Amino acid sequence: MVDARLQQLLARIVSGYLEVIDDELLQRQIAVNKVASAAHRNVSCRAYDLLRAGAGQMQSLDKFGLRAVAEQQHLSALQLKEAIDADFRALSEAHYHRYFNMAERVIEY
């Protein structure tokens, strides 16, 4: 359940930065580059797995089946990865404080 929720959060963030334009090419690049990415994961999460593993070497996202959304096209692959990481961290922390920190306070009483 936690993994599914984290995937939902990540997919929501990734879709604000990237879109998958060729799912088959994305899968091929994941396999060729030996990136750990489960096939059952959401396509946006798989795109992030590839970005996380190779953003520093990616010169052209379209060669990986990806495209930056219009508002983010000025960012490099590495900058996209860093922005996604920062947003995911912030959203994860907010989610934690909202649901888990609240549960800890309830248990204390």
Side-chain angles (χ1 to χ4, degrees), residues 20-83:
V20 176
I21 55 174
D22 188 335
D23 191 34
E24 288 180 25
L25 179 56
L26 172 65
Q27 283 308 116
R28 209 167 32 252
Q29 289 291 353
I30 287 171
V32 166
N33 291 291
K34 298 179 176 140
V35 173
S37 183
H40 72 275
R41 286 172 54 94
N42 174 292
V43 69
S44 293
C45 293
R46 288 183 278 135
Y48 174 74
D49 292 340
L50 182 62
L51 188 68
R52 183 183 39 136
Q57 291 81 37
M58 290 179 170
Q59 298 301 316
S60 179
L61 290 173
D62 62 324
K63 292 181 180 176
F64 296 88
L66 305 172
R67 175 176 46 218
V69 297
E71 304 84 29
Q72 308 300 338
Q73 288 187 354
H74 64 284
L75 298 175
S76 69
L78 187 57
Q79 290 170 319
L80 287 166
K81 180 203 153 308
E82 290 170 350

Side-chain angles (χ1 to χ4, degrees), residues 8-28:
Q8 266 184 326
L9 293 174
L10 182 58
R12 189 167 86 196
I13 292 165
V14 170
S15 66
Y17 289 92
L18 292 173
E19 58 185 326
V20 176
I21 55 174
D22 188 335
D23 191 34
E24 288 180 25
L25 179 56
L26 172 65
Q27 283 308 116
R28 209 167 32 252

